[in-house]
Amino acid sequence: MRVLAAMSGGVDSAVAAARAVEAGHDVVGVHLALSAKPGTLRTGARGCCTIEDAHDARRAADILGIPFYVWDFAERFTEEVVETFVGEYAAGRTPNPCVTCNEKIKFEALLDKAMALGFDAVCTGHYARLEIVAGQPQLRRSADESKDQSYVLASLRPEQLRHAMFPLGGSRKPDVRAEAAERGLAVAEKPDSHDICFIPDGDTRKFLESRLGESPGDLVDAETGAVLGRHTGVHGFTVGQRKGLGIDKPAPDGRPRYVLSLEPVSGTVKVGSVNRLEVTRIDGERPIWPSGRPLDGPTECVVQVRAHGGTARAVAEAAEGEVTLRLREPLSGVAPGQVAVLYRDEGEAGDLVLGSARIAATA
């Protein structure tokens, strides 16, 4: 096949491209320039948008002996990912920009351009297993549970997954690094990216305030209705947050308070004890079924509400444009705007991705 390898400049995408070459595919490497001003990002930022990252990707492509290009997707990235991120926080929701980037950039904008240029597939360094069975995609968790990225890929549609390749899905990270070293790739020991790539210093609150300014409001005790303090904007908080609340008096029981809900219109942030964070029902909207098969009646599943952790058994029911999840055991810190991913119930943890939906409400 003709394969376009998305090369971020990290070890995973470099090894994924190498494996595509080794498998006999006609591979071309491409680095996505996602920042309008990449030179302003600090050296050593653990994202994927710096000039150093582009140079690392080019060096890897040279070693692999494949053509390499840099494509400017900065305007599309700003519109689809950054502005969506800011807008969601302003509305009192908690988005996952990696999910949005995979859905709108890597497997929409990039894939569309790749198909238009005659490529058969886009190859990335994500840790997830993908098979096409009878023409239908089956997206599964990675063999390396600690690196599994099926959660951030679960919003992809079947037609996108049919043209995707994840060569690292059956591998473990230490083995990938060892392989990179054997292949002479300089990125073999390069640190993983952990920051939100467009917030390289990791200060999300400062970034949002620079975009949204200040919108003062009250911090309110959810039980008594008492005003406990003031804040500079609901965008500085997320459900389940404990630190940085700015409350100068302890709770009557001496225990920490947590953010329970956000009301962007009134500017109210409600806080309370940790037990009030527990939910047993999740309502999701805009469901996506990666295999192309919606749920057929009530379905036992494992639901995951964060990229790392936050899983529980549940019974899922789908209606037109909605999914209702009734949890077998409660979950804490479930925030509207996050993505709920449904896995087939297979014991301790699910394996096959059934679908995903954006969390609209909890109870």
Side-chain angles (χ1 to χ4, degrees):
M1 294 192 300
R2 290 197 71 212
V3 173
L4 187 69
M7 303 181 71
S8 67
V11 61
D12 295 327
S13 60
V15 172
R19 290 184 179 182
V21 171
E22 194 169 63
H25 300 300
D26 178 10
V27 181
V28 173
V30 63
H31 178 80
L32 303 185
L34 302 180
S35 172
K37 298 178 180 179
T40 66
L41 298 182
R42 65 180 172 85
T43 298
R46 297 205 294 176
C48 54
C49 304
T50 67
I51 290 175
E52 292 97 324
D53 293 320
H55 292 334
D56 287 343
R58 181 178 294 279
R59 282 191 287 268
D62 288 344
I63 290 172
L64 298 178
I66 61 175
F68 178 83
Y69 301 92
V70 175
W71 287 356
D72 184 358
F73 276 31
E75 185 175 345
R76 182 78 177 262
F77 182 79
T78 297
E79 178 183 336
E80 298 278 11
V81 180
V82 180
E83 291 181 3
T84 295
F85 179 85
V86 173
E88 286 290 279
Y89 266 101
R93 294 187 289 266
T94 303
N96 185 315
C98 293
V99 172
T100 308
C101 184
N102 285 324
E103 180 184 358
K104 298 295 186 180
I105 304 300
K106 293 173 184 171
F107 293 97
E108 186 170 295
L110 176 62
L111 181 58
D112 286 350
K113 186 170 182 177
M115 295 295 101
L117 292 173
F119 288 92
D120 301 300
V122 167
C123 167
T124 72
H126 287 99
Y127 284 80
R129 289 177 291 156
L130 176 64
E131 298 175 0
I132 306 298
V133 179
Q136 298 300 317
Q138 291 192 350
L139 180 65
R140 298 179 179 273
R141 290 190 186 276
S142 164
D144 188 337
E145 188 175 328
S146 67
K147 299 299 295 182
D148 176 56
Q149 292 175 298
S150 59
Y151 176 90
V152 297
L153 297 168
S155 294
L156 300 184
R157 300 184 299 276
E159 58 269 27
Q160 295 172 317
L161 288 170
R162 290 191 190 99
H163 297 285
M165 290 177 59
F166 307 130
L168 306 188
S171 301
R172 300 186 181 281
K173 186 59 178 264
D175 298 329
V176 171
R177 289 196 180 280
E179 181 178 335
E182 291 172 4
R183 293 180 181 276
L185 297 171
V187 292
E189 297 302 323
K190 186 174 181 178
D192 290 342
S193 57
H194 295 296
D195 300 321
I196 296 174
C197 66
F198 54 88
I199 311 178
D201 65 2
D203 193 336
T204 300
R205 178 177 287 187
K206 184 178 74 174
F207 172 81
L208 290 168
E209 286 196 351
S210 73
R211 297 299 186 96
L212 296 171
E214 294 189 0
S215 300
D218 291 332
L219 288 155
V220 176
D221 187 302
E223 254 185 72
T224 67
V227 175
L228 303 175
R230 297 280 289 172
H231 63 79
T232 57
V234 297
H235 50 264
F237 302 89
T238 185
V239 171
Q241 180 177 332
R242 180 174 70 87
K243 296 182 179 180
L245 302 188
I247 299 174
D248 58 7
K249 60 181 76 170
D253 61 5
R255 296 181 178 178
R257 292 184 176 95
Y258 296 79
V259 174
L260 303 180
S261 66
L262 305 172
E263 299 174 5
V265 175
S266 65
T268 301
V269 176
K270 290 187 176 180
V271 300
S273 60
V274 67
N275 63 296
R276 294 175 66 93
L277 277 174
E278 293 187 343
V279 302
T280 56
R281 171 175 166 154
I282 296 173
D283 295 328
E285 59 187 4
R286 302 203 302 266
I288 294 173
W289 313 106
S291 67
R293 293 187 293 270
L295 300 182
D296 183 16
T299 302
E300 293 281 349
C301 65
V302 172
V303 60
Q304 183 170 334
V305 297
R306 288 183 288 278
H308 303 288
T311 61
R313 297 185 187 283
V315 177
E317 292 187 74
E320 189 65 32
E322 299 178 346
V323 175
T324 299
L325 298 163
R326 292 179 173 83
L327 308 183
R328 297 292 192 188
E329 56 263 355
L331 281 173
S332 291
V334 181
Q338 291 175 319
V339 174
V341 176
L342 286 57
Y343 294 85
R344 187 169 64 193
D345 190 355
E346 294 182 326
E348 188 65 25
D351 179 30
L352 177 69
V353 174
L354 299 175
S356 68
R358 192 179 76 157
I359 297 171
T362 62

